[in-house]
Structures are given as structure tokens and as C-alpha cells.
């Protein structure tokens, strides 16, 4: 019995973003900060699903920003947006009780 492997994409096609991609810097930020943000949000929320939501929200908001606007302040900006979303979740939970 032979196993067929998936065909590989042509050499010129890459699943990795290229530096010419306008959002390349966002994918670099995801690689660098996703896990630290998730740990931070989980500490704040004590809930992995809500923490994932807060982190995803932060990266979606990052996509709306220009790299020039953040001027090398990506990490503090991400943590602030993540914290604000976590606080929104906590406030919503308080109102629902």
C-alpha cells in the first residue's frame, strides 16, 4: 500500500508572508507577541476562551493600524488593547451577575 503525500506548492508560492506584503509586520508581531499576550490575558481573565478572544481582538485592531503610526511601540500598544478588551469582558461579566 503506497501513501500519497500532498503535492507541494510551486517554488514561487509561499505560505509565509513576504516583506513586500504590506501587513508583513503584523505577522511578525503575531509570532513575537501571541504567546506573551495570551498568558497576560489569561492571568487577567482566568478563562482561556476569553483570553483568546482578547488577543485576537488586539491583532485585528493591529491590522487597522499603520506601522508608521505605532513607530516601534507595537508591544505596548498590543498589551494595552488586549488589557482594554479583557476589562470589557470583566465588566460585561459583572453586569450579567
Amino acid at each position: 500500500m503506497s501513501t500519497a503525500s500532498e503535492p507541494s506548492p510551486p517554488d514561487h508560492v509561499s505560505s509565509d508572508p513576504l516583506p513586500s506584503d504590506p501587513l508583513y509586520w503584523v505577522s511578525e508581531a503575531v509570532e513575537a507577541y501571541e504567546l506573551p499576550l495570551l498568558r497576560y490575558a489569561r492571568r487577567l481573565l482566568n478563562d482561556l476562551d476569553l483570553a483568546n478572544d482578547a488577543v485576537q481582538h488586539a491583532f485585528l485592531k493591529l491590522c487597522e493600524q499603520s506601522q508608521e503610526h505605532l513607530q516601534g511601540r507595537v508591544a505596548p500598544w498590543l498589551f494595552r488593547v488586549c488589557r482594554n478588551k479583557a476589562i470589557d469582558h470583566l465588566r460585561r461579566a459583572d453586569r450579567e451577575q
Side-chain angles (χ1 to χ4, degrees):
M1 178 169 132
S2 67
T3 59
S5 63
E6 290 185 23
S8 60
D11 290 336
H12 66 281
V13 176
S14 173
S15 61
D16 295 332
L18 300 173
S20 61
D21 181 351
L23 292 178
Y24 178 75
W25 67 280
V26 173
S27 64
E28 288 182 329
V30 170
E31 284 185 38
Y33 301 114
E34 183 176 26
L35 289 177
L37 278 171
L38 188 56
R39 285 191 295 266
Y40 176 67
R42 187 162 185 201
R43 273 196 319 264
L44 293 173
L45 294 164
N46 293 320
D47 183 300
L48 183 58
D49 290 333
L50 290 177
N52 276 316
D53 181 61
V55 171
Q56 183 179 33
H57 174 80
F59 285 117
L60 286 173
K61 289 293 185 184
L62 184 64
C63 291
E64 298 171 0
Q65 300 297 313
S66 71
Q67 187 176 14
E68 294 78 27
H69 173 74
L70 295 177
Q71 297 175 349
R73 298 174 293 128
V74 173
W77 187 91
L78 281 169
F79 277 89
R80 185 172 56 249
V81 171
C82 185
R83 178 186 56 106
N84 290 346
K85 186 64 172 180
I87 290 169
D88 288 347
H89 281 305
L90 293 171
R91 286 180 181 152
R92 189 174 303 118
D94 282 346
R95 282 194 304 256
E96 291 174 357
Q97 287 183 353

